[in-house]
Amino acid sequence: ADIISTVEFNYSGDLLATGDKGGRVVIFQREQENTDRPLSRGEYNVYSTFQSHEPEFDYLKSLEIEEKINKIRWLPQQNAAHFLLSTNDKTIKLWKISERDKRAEGYNLKDEDGRLRDPVRITGLRVPVLKPMDLMVEASPRRIFANAHTYHINSISVNSDCATYLSADDLRINLWHLEITNRSFNIVDIKPPNMEELTEVITAAEFHPQHCNLYCQTRCWFHLELCLLSAVFEEPEDPSSRSFFSEIISSISDVKFSHNGRYMMTRDYLSVKVWDLNMEKRPVETYQVHEYLRSKLCSLYENDCIFDKFECCWNSGDSTIMTGSYNNFFRMFERDSRRDMTLEASRESSRARAILKPRKVCTGGKRKKDEISVDSLDFNKKILHTAWHPTDNIIAVAATNNLYLFQDKVN
Amino acid sequence: MFVRGLKRKCFDGEEDIEGTLAGIKAIPSYNLQRQSLLDMSLVKLQLCHMLVEPNLCRSVLIANTVRQIQEEMTQDGTWQMINTQSTGQASLDRLVSTDILCRSSREQAEGKHVPGYGTFNKDFEGGQGQDSSETMSTASSVQAPRNLQSNMWEMENSQESKGNFQKSLDQIFETLENKSPNSVEDLFSEVDNSYYDLDTMLTGMMSNTKMGHCDGLETFSSPTNTTSNSNCKSDLNELDHIVEILVES
């Protein structure tokens, strides 16, 4: 199994798509209610697997384009088929996933095994009939949106109008129509005339869930921009905590609108911040994800961990937020009660039906039993990608090349 | 804790890390740390440069960090250090050497010096024959990011020059390793704890009155490494840019 690079539930939550470093997309489907197995609801099984992107070679620049899937975004379902957008560094593809559970039999011109019948032998005419067959899930590429990004695509986001979507790379954001592949509109371009003057890149962009003319973009220094209203959200820097790493750790790695569209959440290296769309001066809430790493920033800079890009997500009611950390830990914050929890995604602690035990990192002093010290954390085990079911309390957590699914205890 | 890292030795007992947060003793240690951070950043940028398609976000962040250090060192350079040469000399020996910047033969022939740093330059060049491994990547290379950036992001360089540069970098490290183990240890003689405390220290230092001095300034010399020089010759395209910085053209 390859390293998982993106995780995304569809709008109903019945399907969960993962993309990996090898360019594959694996879609899981939720088990339906089954009276024989009442506890089976909530289980996800593999529904479809297909190769979305292949490695390519750019002959002009003499470099290889990675097939790694950076993002997957589902389209709202409009008919029996499912559509999703998947992107690597350069090319976005629209995939149609459809089911086939019937097969036509009784053709006039060909046999059951497909061979053409000798016309001389055909004596009568019959109407082919549909017979049930084993379910087959087909994935077919419907559109390929290529050659619009010079730099690496980091975000795609479908508009609430379901007809357009945006794609963002390090320096530009393009707007596409889903039907048109040979043209896109450039709506943001921060490339300086002289690349020597480059001091910032775009790190994420997302459309507002309801307002089709509203989107936000984030930069590598703490800069959150709500566009089309031209509002810039920026928290004033605390001069006493400034260090050489301040800019790096304030770089926003992910941004998500809340489901109700009233808030935005940003993830930087050490914290998650919730912003009210009506207040640009400062975030309304700040949650420390792993503050104990602040004293280790130099080491983390040296081993490049400081550049890790963590994602964050909202639960359906926008009351809880979740984000990943190191050592296969992930964190949950309840906004009202301000309670927070650290959980671990690991084989040992994740037997089926087992209840996750909260974990704790010892930040100093005597280490209690069951606590883990900061120096024992495994920085190779990072949870960068997480997703929350749109309506239920089911979460998907990608730990390197394993996907974990957790849900609320079933009563 | 480390995904990958360098083997380090503890500082010898003479330098007390805890005591470096205040007083004159803090000055060489802070600059040592800052110089090490700068060196690390420059190596990272150089390695980015060698990638066919570097991660732009990471490169920009590292380049901004280097710029930030440069600005601070430039500001500090206006202050006089109380203990000049002797302390500077001592800290010189302990600075991490990442001699990836070579002087081109052209620059050597022209005998250019970084303006304003001439005095120290001569001292350094006098001693360089003895221990060419302990050259510094130099803070003058802080201006390198600009040109490195444009090189890197415009991807102008051919694969061949990249390959040669990689070779020269490897040979430099090989040269360093062939020296006596002690000097190699010295090169990487940084304490883990010092890195952990670097942030605290730097934060503390920056919020206090600036204790500027010429230590950072004195590291602005142009290094020469005859061993690696011949290997760098073949990579003039990239080194030209760096040379320009060294002579502050």
Side-chain angles (χ1 to χ4, degrees), chain A residues 63 152 170 195-196 198-199 240 242-245 247-248 295-296 298-299 301-302 304 309 379, chain B residues 4 8 41 44 52-53 56-58 60 64 67-68 146-147 150 154 195-196 198-199 202-203:
Chain A
L63 49 89
H152 291 182
D170 294 319
M195 280 296 271
E196 283 182 6
L198 182 68
T199 56
S240 66
R242 182 155 173 67
S243 73
F244 287 125
F245 304 112
E247 187 184 311
I248 300 177
S295 57
K296 315 284 185 202
C298 198
S299 307
Y301 179 70
E302 197 211 349
D304 276 354
K309 293 188 190 307
F379 287 81
Chain B
R4 56 182 184 277
R8 295 188 179 80
S41 305
K44 282 183 186 294
V52 182
E53 208 178 13
L56 200 61
C57 182
R58 182 170 171 273
V60 165
N64 288 348
R67 205 173 279 123
Q68 206 183 325
R146 282 200 142 198
N147 295 310
S150 60
E154 299 292 5
Y195 271 172
Y196 292 176
L198 173 63
D199 208 50
L202 293 178
T203 310

Side-chain angles (χ1 to χ4, degrees), chain B:
Chain B
M1 156 108 187
F2 294 99
V3 176
R4 56 182 184 277
L6 306 171
K7 190 183 172 194
R8 295 188 179 80
K9 224 167 71 167
C10 289
F11 271 145
D12 47 16
E14 289 162 48
E15 188 94 32
D16 175 19
I17 294 299
E18 301 312 309
T20 56
L21 282 174
I24 292 162
K25 266 195 175 172
I27 297 167
S29 182
Y30 172 76
N31 281 292
L32 182 72
Q33 304 279 4
R34 186 172 62 182
Q35 183 64 41
S36 299
L37 182 63
L38 177 64
D39 292 342
M40 199 198 318
S41 305
L42 289 170
V43 171
K44 282 183 186 294
L45 274 180
Q46 289 288 356
L47 291 172
C48 277
H49 183 35
M50 284 189 259
L51 284 174
V52 182
E53 208 178 13
N55 182 321
L56 200 61
C57 182
R58 182 170 171 273
S59 312
V60 165
L61 288 172
I62 296 170
N64 288 348
T65 304
V66 171
R67 205 173 279 123
Q68 206 183 325
I69 298 173
Q70 176 201 4
E71 279 166 13
E72 193 190 278
M73 282 175 128
T74 309
Q75 285 173 8
D76 288 351
T78 60
W79 289 71
Q80 292 298 315
M81 189 181 166
I82 294 162
N83 300 320
T84 51
Q85 297 289 17
S86 54
T87 322
Q89 210 63 28
S91 60
L92 199 91
D93 296 334
R94 274 202 290 266
L95 283 172
V96 173
S97 166
T98 53
D99 187 24
I100 47 178
L101 305 173
C102 317
R103 261 175 128 191
S104 71
S105 55
R106 185 187 70 182
E107 205 227 84
Q108 269 187 312
E110 287 167 350
K112 287 180 182 171
H113 294 286
V114 179
Y117 312 142
T119 317
F120 190 75
N121 241 2
K122 286 180 197 138
D123 290 336
F124 177 72
E125 277 166 12
Q128 74 185 2
Q130 296 167 4
D131 199 343
S132 56
S133 67
E134 286 189 347
T135 50
M136 292 155 292
S137 63
T138 81
S140 60
S141 59
V142 296
Q143 291 190 44
R146 282 200 142 198
N147 295 310
L148 287 176
Q149 268 169 249
S150 60
N151 279 346
M152 179 168 63
W153 295 328
E154 299 292 5
M155 292 179 277
E156 286 158 5
N157 298 293
S158 66
Q159 291 286 58
E160 203 198 331
S161 65
K162 282 203 180 83
N164 286 335
F165 196 83
Q166 173 64 53
K167 245 196 287 177
S168 62
L169 189 60
D170 288 343
Q171 273 162 337
I172 290 159
F173 285 143
E174 218 177 70
T175 310
L176 298 175
E177 280 180 355
N178 287 340
K179 296 281 177 183
S180 68
N182 281 340
S183 62
V184 173
E185 291 291 329
D186 283 339
L187 288 174
F188 301 122
S189 59
E190 292 287 346
V191 162
D192 286 0
N193 289 337
S194 67
Y195 271 172
Y196 292 176
D197 293 336
L198 173 63
D199 208 50
T200 321
M201 183 187 299
L202 293 178
T203 310
M205 295 301 285
M206 288 182 83
S207 58
N208 295 335
T209 319
K210 287 257 192 311
M211 291 193 254
H213 49 78
C214 290
D215 201 28
L217 197 71
E218 281 160 0
T219 65
F220 279 41
S221 68
S222 46
T224 310
N225 186 323
T226 50
T227 317
S228 51
N229 202 32
S230 52
N231 302 315
C232 294
K233 256 191 203 180
S234 55
D235 203 26
L236 279 175
N237 275 342
E238 297 171 51
L239 293 179
D240 271 352
H241 289 280
I242 295 156
V243 162
E244 274 172 49
I245 295 142
L246 292 175
V247 301
E248 288 223 353
S249 57

Side-chain angles (χ1 to χ4, degrees), chain A residues 208-223:
Chain A
H208 191 278
Q210 283 99 36
H211 301 300
C212 59
N213 56 355
L214 207 61
Y215 70 97
C216 65
Q217 49 159 315
T218 63
R219 303 289 172 82
C220 66
W221 45 278
F222 201 96
H223 176 100

Side-chain angles (χ1 to χ4, degrees), chain A residues 65-66 68 70 87-91 149 151-153, chain B residues 53:
Chain A
I65 299 167
E66 257 195 316
K68 176 169 76 93
N70 293 337
T87 185
N88 68 349
D89 284 340
K90 301 284 187 187
T91 305
H149 285 280
Y151 302 95
H152 291 182
I153 298 173
Chain B
E53 208 178 13

